[in-house]
Every structure is written in C-alpha cells, then in structure tokens.
C-alpha cells in the first residue's frame, strides 16, 4: 500500500519505539504516583463498616455509590463511545477516531484522578477517591476529547498523549480557580469542560496550522457507513447528557432537576437544528454533519444552569437558540475560521462546544443572578449556591458576576494553555503525518488489506494507484 | 446524482421552507405552552429541602429520581437507539431511519409531557414534572416509533411531525380512558403503546396505500452491513425491555417482578423465533428479519402482566408463543396483508407490536382475573391492582373484564385515529416521495457523493446510470 | 450463490428440522422445569409488602433491586452486545457472531437460573429468584460466550446449544465447589468465568481440530467495517467491566471498591496494550486485534480481587502486566498453540480470558493471603471474606491457599469438561460446516443477495466465481 508520493517535507511517522516508550513511561509514572498518593475514600474502604456507625448511616444504600454510579456509567459511555464514535464520520479515520480517543482517555482519567485529587480530595497526605472522583476524571477527559475534535486526523498518538498530559493539568488548575477561588457553580461544565476544551483545542489547531491541508481534502469527507457509525456517538451523547449534567450535582432535587432541564434543552435543540439544516441548504436537504453535532449544543449550553431553577421552558429556549447558533456556525463560520483565522477545526468543535459553552456560561451567570429565595425556598437557596461559611453573605447578583468572571478565566486559560501546548506539539519530534496523509488510518494502524484496496478501486475508478 | 426518471406523478419533495417552518412553529408553540404550564414537581424543585421535612422523608435517596432514573435512561436508549437502529435495515434509508426517528421523538416527548401532564400531573393550574413524566413521555413516543415502522421510507419528515402531533394527542386520550376511567393496569403498555401504536400505524399506511410501490422494490431489502446496524437496535430493545416494563411500576417488589418476568419472556422468545425462522425457510437458513424483530415480541406481550404475579414460567410460556406467532406472521401474514388488505407494513409492525400487543392485553386480563389474595398477600393484592378508594370493592374477575375492555378501546381509538390522521397525511402538501423514490435517503438528505456512486456501480454493474 | 466446490468431505449443514427440534425441545424443558421449580424470591413477590414489616425494612429503596439493577443491566449489555459485537470482527461472520451469541445466551440464562438455583437459591422445594440470580445467570453465560470465542465460525448453532447445555451445568458444579465447599471469593469470576470458560473452550477447539482449516483462511481476517463493529463490543465490555466485577459484591463499600479497582486496572491495560502492539509490529503500527482484546485483560485479571483491598495502585499494576501478557500472547503464543498444540483459537481467548484469568486467580489468592485486620478494619475483615460460622477461624493465609486451590479445580473441571463436551460435539450429527465454509454466514443464514456478490466481486476482482 505504500504509494510513491510527492512530499514537500518527508515526515517520519514511524512509531515503533517512540509510542511504546511514551506509553510505558507515563503508565509507570502513574503507578508510582498512585502508590504514593491514591487510596480509597471512606465509602469505598473496608473500614466503611465501622465508619457507618460513627457517621450514623443507617443503610448501605446511603453510600454515595448508589446515588452516582448509574450516572457515572452513562458519562463513561459518553466519553468512550460517545466521543469515539462521533469522530468516526471521516471515511478513512475510524480506527484513529475510536482508538486514539480510547488511548488518550484511558491515560487522561488516571492523570486527572491525581491532578483533581490534589486539589479537591487531598487529606492527610493521601488522595481519597470514590465514585465522584471517577466522574470528575471522566469530565476532565471530556475536555480533552473536545480538543481532540479540532485536531482529529492531523496528529500522532504521541502528540495526543502529550496534549492530554498538559491539558488535564491546566484543566485542574482552571477548575480549582473557578470552583474554589471564585466559588462558581458549573456542575455540567459549560465553562470548565466545553469552553475551556474548545478554545484550548482551537488554539492548538491554529498553531499547528497546515497551509497545504487541501492535499488530503478527499479524505476529509464521510461515506454512508461512517455517517451511520457517527450517529451511534451522537445518540449516546444526546441520550446520556442528562446524566452528564446531573452526575455531580447535590443529592436529591438538584440531580433530579439537572436531568429534567437537560432533557428539555436537548429536545428543543433537535428541532431547530433540523429546521436550519434544511433552510441553509439550497435544495433543502438535511446535512448529517448538523444532525450529528448541533443537536447536542443544547446539552452543552445548560451545563452550568441545569441544576439551577432554570425551569423546563427556560431550557427549551436555551436549546432552541443553540440549535440555531450551532448549525449556522457549521455553515458560515467554520469556513471563515479556516480561511481568515487559520483555524482548521476538523469536527467543528467551535460550533458544538465553543459557542454553546460560552452561551452556557452566560446563561448560568444570568440564572444565578436572577435567583431569589422565593423561587428556591430559604434552605434550597443556600444549598443550591452553597452560600455557607465565608460565602454566607454573597448575593445572587454578586454570584452572577463571579460566574461571568469564570467564563473569562476559562477563556484566558484556554488561549494561553493552548498556545503553550500548541508550541510544544509543533516540535518536529512527535511523528505527526504529512499534509497528504492526514485523515488516513493507514499511517498509524495496520489496516486490513483487501477492503483498503476496495476503497481505492471504488472511490476513484479512473485514478488508479501507481502500484496496485 | 439526479438521474432522469419516468415519473407517472411528479412529486415536490422540496423541503427547504416547509420543514423549517413546521419545526420552528411547533417548537415555539412548545416553549409558549411550557412557559404557561410546566413547572418542576416537588421532588425536582429546590423547595424539596423544605418539603422533605414536611413529608417526613429521612433521606435524599427516597427521591423518586433514584428509584426510576436508571430505568428512564434505558427506556431513553430504546426509543432513540433501539427504534432508530432497528429501522436501519433498509439498504439506503439509514439516515432517514435514525434521523427522522430522532426528529419525531424529540418533538414527541415535549408534546407528550404537555398532553400527559394535563391529564395526570395537573395541579393548581400547572403541570408538575419529575422523572416519571419523562419516562411516560418516552413511552408515548414509543407508540409513534411503532407506527413509524409501518410507513418507514414512504413519508416526508413533515408528515411524520404531523402524525406525531396527532398520535401523541390520541395516545394521551386513550391512556386516560384506560388508566383513569377503566382503572386498567398497563405498566409496560401492551395496550396503550403497542396495540394502539401498531393498529394506528397500520391504518395510516393502509390509507396511504401505494399501488405502484414495487417500483422501489429493489431498495426495500437490506444489505449485509445494514442488517448489522439493525442488530444494534434489536439488542438494545431486547436487553433494556425489562427496564421498559418495570420503569413506572410501583416501588419495590412490583418493579423487581416486572423486570424478572420480562427477562424470562424475552429469553424464551429467542428460541422459538430461531426455531421457526429455520423451519419456515426451505433451506433451513435463519432469516435476519425474524431475529431482528420476532425476538422482541416476548417483551411486548408481557407489557401488561409483567408487574403482576405472572410468574417466571408463565412468562416463558408467553414468550414461547409470541416468538412463534411473530415469526409466522412475518412469513405468511405480511404478504397477505399487503396483497389483500393493501397494508404495506415496511417493518412488519403487525408481527412485532400488533399481534403481540393484543396477546399482551389478553394475558394481562387473564392474569388480573386469576389474581387471588393468596397469591398476592392481602396488602400486596390491594397494592398491585390499586383496589382503593372507589375501586375498593372491585374483584379480580371484574378487573379482568375492564382489562379486556381496554384492548377494545385501544383498537377503536387506533382505527378511528389512524383513519383521521391517514386522511390528513394524504393531502398533497406534505412533500412525500414518489413511488420510485421511496426507501431512498437521497430525497431528503445530503448523501456523501462517492459511496453513493459506489452503491450504484456495485449493486447493478450492468445497469449504469445515464449521467454518472 | 451455490458455487461448485472441491469438498473432501461433504457436510450436511441443513438445519431445517434439526435446529427447530433442538430449540423447541430445550425451551419446552425449560418451561416444565420453571413450572415445577422457579418462583419469585421474597423481594420480587407481592407478599413483600407484608415481608417488609416482618423484616423491619423501612423503605422500598432497601429492596435489592435498587442495589443491583443498574449493574445487572450493564452486565446484560456486556453479554449480548459486548461479546456479540466483539466477535463481529470476521469479514463474513457478523450474523453468526451476534446471532448465535444471542441464541446460546438466551438459552443459557434460563438453564443457568435453574442450575445455579438448585445449588444456591433452593428453599423448601423451590428456586426463589431475584435480581442477583439474573446477574449470576448472565455471568454463567459469560463463560459460555468466552468458550464460543475459541470455536467461532467453525460450529453449527446446534453444537453451540449442546455446548451451552453442558457448560452451564459444569459451570454451576465448579462454582458450587469453589464458593460453597472451598469458601473462595470470586465476585468478578476470574476463576469461575474466565479461567474455566477459556480452558474449557480451548479444550473443545483442540478436540474439534481441523487440519485443513487454511482452506477458509481468506475469511478469517477482518475488513475495515467489521473492525469498527467489533470496537462497539470492545468498548461496552471495557466501560461496563466495573459493573461486572462489582455486580454481586456485598452492598456498600465492597461494590464501590470493586468498581474503582476495575476502572483503574482497565485504564492501565490500555496503555501497555498500545505500547506492545506498536512495539511488536515491524512498522510500529497498531493492530486492531490487540486493541479490541488485550485492552480488556485488565478487567479479567482483577475479577477475584477487585472487591478486596487491592488498592488503586495495585490495580494499575495488574492492568499494566496484563496488557503486556495479552498482547504478547496474540503475537507469539496463538500461532504456536495452533501449530504445536492443535488449538485453533479464533478470537484468541487464551490471551484475553485464559492467561489473564489465571493471573486474576493468583492475584486474588495473594490479595486474600495478605489481608490484615489493620487494612480492612475488624468488622470489614470479617465481612470481606465472610469469616463467619464454620469459617470463623480461617486465617488470610489459609484463605489464600483455598483461593489457589480454586484455580486448580477450575482448570481440572475445564479440561475434563471440555474433553467430554468436545467429544460429544465431534459426533457427525450436529451439522457443522466443512473446512472451506467455515467463517461464512452463508451456510446458516439467508444473506442479502447483492451485497454478497459485491464482496466477491470486490475482494477478488480477478477470481470470478464459476456461476455468478
């Protein structure tokens, strides 16, 4: 299958020693750090039997496991199947989409358990983990999956591991600033996951700009079956998003409410996506790219506010707007970003995570600022925004201001971090593909012989490869 | 790809303004109605913190969210992935199957929240929603997905939205008659979802009868990969059906029992489906159509009785019978329905939902009529059939009679409603495809160029299109 | 499609009467046995309402259903979608992989409910079942799915049903010896499911050795799309494995801990699999076979110890090692097993379930032997190993010894049982395929006409079939 090529710049994509070395080094580091730092939290430790009595817990069902494990599994599916399959739309990059996503996420969750653990679960020298930590680790990796969408098909697996290492670190710092220093609410991660992840990824892809990428333009599209595989990813993201936005909310009404709001927002989003997909195409036909992506924008955009008293109709309005914004973005904005700003965004994450993430941050700030004791109840109000301790006197409008500040901080972290990491990834040592071999599994994967030849025969019958 | 065609009747399938208009109008209506009517139920409202004390609820785990959310998510997967992928078996209608199912279900759940809300959750001028309402909305849409199966490939997206609007309305009325007026039990919806949905859809497709549909006969079959995609739908329906039938049962033993009965019925159904699939084919080979569909009939047929004391062996017997009935239906009945009764049933919903739904209603009536205090226990008996208030004196045999009446009402509603809606859908304004372009994504979707050409090249090498 | 063939031994693969007969006989037997023996357990019986009071249960949420149902559904997905799709990697055996897995599992769970019921849930003449029994039935069938992987593509559906009948029986006996007689812990089934299932399957395939199997060598590979379908199976197994290993652990901390340990082990396993997959290939490219399989070895290998205090870093170490062992096994061991030991292992179950299962048993024995009251707490220690009643005085090191004995017993049962069942399956009455028609759906399934012809046209353009 090695065809002679006109390569302006011959790239060395040979992974044999580099990739194993990086993987093994990272994993050994994980083991050492876990050995030093990570232990079971009280609800997962065998001492729980005694702890229960001390904490006056009457039943095992009060273990946080039963509050959160079903949501955790849904989130887990979103990260590995949702993102992995959504990115499978490219005709010859299915292995890379699902396989590299698998690799970076498997590494990322380990590193996130450590980074987030140091910031949030560090007690007497140890990180004590439970099911909520697993969810948060998955969330953190979600932001890496988002960024992966911008550079899909143009990077080596080593670059992805390096990016994951840095992005998880920056994510944890940003999250700490927002949740702990600014005391911002962001249970579904409109700011910490989507805004940060998207603008980080867009900055990285801008720095890695490839002026001659049109050389692999023929492989940037989808084929019929790849679009169907991608719909598996879309639907699992869409269906489980209520679990995503409610997974780490407070027990009880907050989790319940977050799921309902997200359900409503996503439903509305589908209708406006379909409407604008048809409206913006000359022949009025629906475009799979929009259905696969813009239908999810409603979930992103209630990520901050879903656990608040956004109300079902408020959620519908947010979903309504985001379906439109996202679809319009795919049609008009993505081409401009590439031609004017040199941002080559393979999956259009700016439309699915960037703009809806920003909207989500703003909606969250407004919803928080508009909160009243009347709407939440006296106790519910305090619980919803955690107005306790040193935040006892914070008012809703002040909270709204801090929420807005959270958006700005996330953007600054994304741009600065993305520039730094983009610069590192530009070093010519990571084995990234040449422009004409982007979006091509053949570079990093053993691809079954015969079907590959089919594809070449089939897709360009008049354009036979030199050496068949 | 626009090939010259001999069209007896040129159809205008241009969707550009009509589809967006319908989508946006419907969604704006939803927002207005949600704004006026829909609010969080007590367990999802921030006042829950105070409510808990009043209601003497000791723990957040008592929130209905934790009893039902895992089942809700399973049902959600069944509606969007289960039905969406099951209908993907057609060789060139994958986008339409999963995409239109997505569209109609996303609209349907919103409208169902309203319609069912007015009937069942209307308090002091507001519809108060919680996780059980989400499940019921998904259930209601399930009946639309069933009906969609009959007209799959022969209708425009606008027709599907119009049908959803009407069918959800009629569903809610029928459900109200059964559950509230007749005081019938139907937790898994053998009558309300399957019987109603199937005969509604069959009536609609009868009215939309296309005498020249054989013009697109070549596209009515499957290809190897489309059958594999369809198996994803089948398996998710099959695996999660225990959640479906138990999702809204009473807390505790009823949910537990409903899951076990459904599990048993479905397991038996697989064996008789395989047996008859092989037996009814000359060469003794298994037919994917049967495996994809008839294996699910056991779930449909215990929809009413699963939460009752049907017992595991009773469930096996029901599953045993339904696998046979359904498979035999595919082989012998479906062709007759088309040739004699002019019922063109794309997915064979009569075999999967119609007949098994009727059986389910009958099994439910018998199981109810056979109930005794001995089998249920004194309290369990009252709880299982809700023999309280004005139903305090109802006996099992009377209950059985009412259950049977529920079947009849559902059938009448289905035929009458289907005739009405079929008549509306027959109006020549909705942009449905011509006979020779049925079962073809190309009409309403942008289909990736090259693979499409492949398909034409490949499937009929001697029959080249006029303008390649 | 019936091509003339040179068949040394004409095989009769005609299933028309044999398969239906076997299916119907087995299912009727199930109904009779269920009728005689199986009833609802107390938590699924309508008497629960009264039982609750007697047992002083304060809330319906204490019903075991809510502790285990979400895990049950995850396990259910693993058995039917996980195994079914993982085995879909063969280019022309997708129907057989998912369809036969469906058939044998649907039968197997019924038979397992009986067999395991007699051993573990038999009270006053009846088997009383609840959600835990459903999980255990799925587990038991999991071991059959493992064995199926070894003989995939080389057996008739009747052979699979016969194997299931015997293997489930032997599984239940082995499980009884381990759990009840040896008082061994094995919640995730490293020994009972994986070691037993793998070596049973390998023995069967050894006895069914086909010296001329290279006649169907061209069909033993994958194509691009079949590899993507297989990744669906892989990911669902990978994601839900924490549910698998925790599904039947004690309520509370044990379930919680088992999920965390499995999550960690699996994450580490992905990195070492990727590392060695690239390292062991000349061009350094990743091999889908490894990604699809070896990434799961970490889940197998903590099956015994996940619910113990293995600790997160201990889990990482186990996953680290198993990714390597499994990948190396695929590259070096599988070919040797075939050429030297005449073990034709279609899916490489020795690498995914055999060796990791053994490692899992050993890790479990060591973890048990190393347990101290200090690590587990006084009460936690007793609860974790159930050191009560006649086991009150058992020490950790003795427990470790019994755990090790459990491995040996499982191996012996697997070899002896596999030899017996292999011998039965070798009888020339079951309709297995000839060597040149192995790995080919066409033998037992109606395969859509046109795509099949495509495949022949496409895959070997110069090698036209005799009668097209």
């Amino acid at each position: 299958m090695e065809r002679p090529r006109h390569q302006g710049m011959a790239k060395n994509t040979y992974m044999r020693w580099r990739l194993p070395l990086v993987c093994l080094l990272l994993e050994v580091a994980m083991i050492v750090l876990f050995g030093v730092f990570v232990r079971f939290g009280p609800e997962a430790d065998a001492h729980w039997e005694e702890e229960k009595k001390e904490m006056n817990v009457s039943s095992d069902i009060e273990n946080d496991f039963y509050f959160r494990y079903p949501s955790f599994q849904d989130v887990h599916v979103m990260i590995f199947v949702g993102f992995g399959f959504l990115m499978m739309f490219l005709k010859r990059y299915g292995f890379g989409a699902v396989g590299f996503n698998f690799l970076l996420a498997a590494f990322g969750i380990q590193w996130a358990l450590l980074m987030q653990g140091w910031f949030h679960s560090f007690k007497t020298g140890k990180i004590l983990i439970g099911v909520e930590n697993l969810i948060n680790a998955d969330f953190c990796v979600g932001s890496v999956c988002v960024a992966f969408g911008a550079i899909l098909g143009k990077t080596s697996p080593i670059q992805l591991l390096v990016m994951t290492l840095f992005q998880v670190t920056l994510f944890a710092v940003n999250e700490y600033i927002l949740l702990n220093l600014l005391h911002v609410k962001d249970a579904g991660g409109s700011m910490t996951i989507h805004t940060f992840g998207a603008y980080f990824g867009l900055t990285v892809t801008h720095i890695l700009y490839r002026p001659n990428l049109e050389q692999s333009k023929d492989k940037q599209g989808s084929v019929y079956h790849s679009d169907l595989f991608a719909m598996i990813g879309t639907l699992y993201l869409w269906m489980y998003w209520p679990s995503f936005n409610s997974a780490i909310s407070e027990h009880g009404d907050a989790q319940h409410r977050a799921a309902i709001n997200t359900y409503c927002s996503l439903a509305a989003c589908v209708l406006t996506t379909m409407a604008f997909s048809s409206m913006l195409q000359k022949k009025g036909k629906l475009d799979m790219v929009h259905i696969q992506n813009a239908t999810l924008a409603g979930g992103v955009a209630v990520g901050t506010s879903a656990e608040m008293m956004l109300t079902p109709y408020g959620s519908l309005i947010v979903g309504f707007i985001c379906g439109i914004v996202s679809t319009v973005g795919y049609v008009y904005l993505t081409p401009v970003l590439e031609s004017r700003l040199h941002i080559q965004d393979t999956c259009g994450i700016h439309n699915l995570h960037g703009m809806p993430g920003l909207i989500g941050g703003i909606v969250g700030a407004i919803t928080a600022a508009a909160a009243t004791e009347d709407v939440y109840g006296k106790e519910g109000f305090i619980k919803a925004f955690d107005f306790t301790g040193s935040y006892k006197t914070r008012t809703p409008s002040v909270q709204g201001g801090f929420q807005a500040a959270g958006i700005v901080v996330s953007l600054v972290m994304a741009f600065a971090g993305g520039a730094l990491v983009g610069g590192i990834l530009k070093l010519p040592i990571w084995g990234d593909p040449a422009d004409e071999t982007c979006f091509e599994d053949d570079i990093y994967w053993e691809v079954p012989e015969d079907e590959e030849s089919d594809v070449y025969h089939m897709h360009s019958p008049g354009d036979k490869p030199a050496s068949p």
Side-chain angles (χ1 to χ4, degrees), chain A:
Chain A
M1 277 302 106
E2 301 296 308
R3 295 178 293 158
R5 288 199 190 91
H6 313 274
Q7 295 192 206
M9 173 179 54
K11 293 258 190 178
N12 177 5
T13 57
Y14 191 65
M15 289 284 113
R16 188 164 185 190
W17 302 113
R18 281 183 287 180
L19 179 61
L21 195 71
V22 171
C23 285
L24 294 176
L25 271 180
L26 289 174
E27 193 53 51
V28 168
M30 290 303 109
I31 291 175
V32 171
L33 290 169
F34 268 61
V36 177
F37 289 109
V38 180
R39 296 294 179 274
F40 293 120
E43 295 182 287
D45 192 286
H47 284 88
W48 168 248
E49 208 52 39
E50 285 148 25
E51 200 110 4
K52 260 197 309 189
K53 284 170 197 163
E54 281 170 37
M55 292 161 70
N56 206 18
V57 173
S58 60
S59 163
D60 280 322
I61 196 84
E62 297 283 338
N63 194 303
D64 197 34
F65 183 77
Y66 302 104
F67 286 91
R68 303 207 187 277
Y69 189 73
S71 311
F72 158 65
Q73 274 297 0
D74 294 350
V75 171
H76 216 40
V77 171
M78 293 173 74
I79 300 299
F80 290 88
V81 162
F83 281 106
F85 274 74
L86 177 56
M87 294 191 278
M88 230 185 233
F89 69 100
L90 292 171
K91 66 178 76 160
R92 292 298 294 170
Y93 209 69
F95 291 6
V98 72
F100 292 155
N101 186 68
F102 196 15
L103 173 62
L104 73 83
F107 164 63
I109 53 178
Q110 298 176 63
W111 180 227
L113 278 176
L114 287 164
M115 280 304 304
Q116 295 179 314
W118 283 316
F119 280 122
H120 300 288
S121 311
F122 200 60
K123 267 150 214 161
T124 65
K126 298 292 174 200
I127 296 167
L128 302 181
I129 66 172
V131 65
E132 195 171 339
N133 298 70
L134 306 190
I135 298 171
N136 276 312
D138 272 32
F139 275 7
C140 177
V141 161
S143 92
V144 184
C145 298
V146 167
F148 178 32
I151 56 177
L152 182 73
K154 301 174 295 186
T155 42
S156 76
I158 301 177
Q159 283 180 305
L160 295 173
L161 286 171
V162 171
M163 185 178 84
T164 304
L165 180 69
F166 283 98
Q167 193 182 346
V168 165
T169 311
L170 292 162
F171 176 98
V173 172
N174 185 51
E175 188 187 42
Y176 178 76
I177 297 173
L178 264 66
L179 304 191
N180 295 50
L181 303 187
L182 303 178
H183 198 68
V184 150
K185 303 298 281 185
D186 194 23
S190 290
M191 294 177 280
T192 52
I193 301 168
H194 300 289
T195 302
F196 172 75
Y199 290 98
F200 180 94
L202 293 168
T203 310
V204 168
T205 198
H206 172 70
I207 301 213
L208 299 180
Y209 180 64
R210 289 169 177 266
N212 302 313
L213 194 59
E214 81 282 357
Q215 291 181 13
S216 52
K217 209 78 188 176
D218 58 313
K219 280 171 280 172
Q220 269 199 71
S222 64
V223 288
Y224 197 67
H225 284 118
S226 69
D227 271 327
L228 295 179
F229 278 115
M231 278 307 289
I232 297 175
T234 298
L235 287 175
Y236 274 98
L237 288 169
W238 193 90
M239 296 180 303
Y240 286 164
W241 215 295
S243 300
F244 193 93
N245 283 348
S246 67
I248 57 161
S249 291
E250 291 282 331
H251 293 171
D253 58 292
Q255 270 195 287
H256 202 151
R257 191 162 58 240
I260 295 173
N261 280 328
T262 310
Y263 177 94
C264 289
S265 177
L266 286 164
C269 195
V270 174
L271 273 93
T272 50
T273 298
M274 294 272 185
F276 275 73
S277 181
S278 169
M279 198 192 293
L280 300 180
Q281 207 260 6
K282 268 186 212 161
K283 295 183 185 166
K285 294 183 183 181
L286 295 163
D287 188 330
M288 263 292 168
V289 172
H290 309 150
I291 312 308
Q292 283 158 7
N293 292 281
T295 51
L296 301 168
V300 173
V302 296
T304 304
S305 55
E307 61 172 7
M308 302 178 191
M309 289 291 282
L310 179 60
T311 75
Y313 70 88
S315 306
L316 291 188
I317 293 171
V318 174
F320 187 96
I321 292 168
C322 284
I324 297 172
V325 168
S326 188
T327 308
V328 169
Y330 273 99
V331 177
Y332 296 115
L333 211 53
T334 298
V336 173
L337 287 183
E338 174 153 4
S339 60
R340 298 283 171 81
L341 300 180
H342 288 184
I343 295 171
Q344 292 161 326
D345 179 4
T346 309
C347 296
I349 62 165
H350 187 247
N351 311 304
L352 170 48
H353 301 277
M355 292 186 293
L358 288 176
I359 293 174
I362 295 165
V363 170
I366 295 171
T367 312
T372 64
E373 280 199 11
D374 190 45
V375 169
Y376 286 76
K378 200 177 163 66
E379 291 181 53
F381 180 72
I382 293 167
K383 195 182 164 197
F385 296 97
D386 198 17
F387 284 160
T388 56
S390 55
Y391 302 101
K392 216 168 187 174
T393 56
R394 194 183 267 191
T395 62
S397 53
V398 172
Q399 179 68 24
F402 276 100
Q403 295 281 143
I407 307 172
V408 177
V409 172
S410 298
L411 281 173
V412 170
M413 290 288 292
F415 291 131
L420 171 75
V421 173
I424 294 169
L425 297 186
K426 224 183 157 81
L427 298 175
I429 56 175
W430 310 118
D432 56 313
D435 292 343
E436 68 272 28
T437 54
C438 284
F439 315 114
E440 172 68 60
D441 272 334
D442 194 36
I443 303 303
Y444 302 115
W445 296 86
E446 284 202 66
V447 177
E449 277 291 329
D450 43 33
E451 175 133 322
E452 194 181 11
S453 71
D454 296 344
V455 171
Y456 285 115
H457 285 151
M458 283 157 37
H459 288 182
S460 45
D463 169 47
K464 283 215 172 172
S467 53

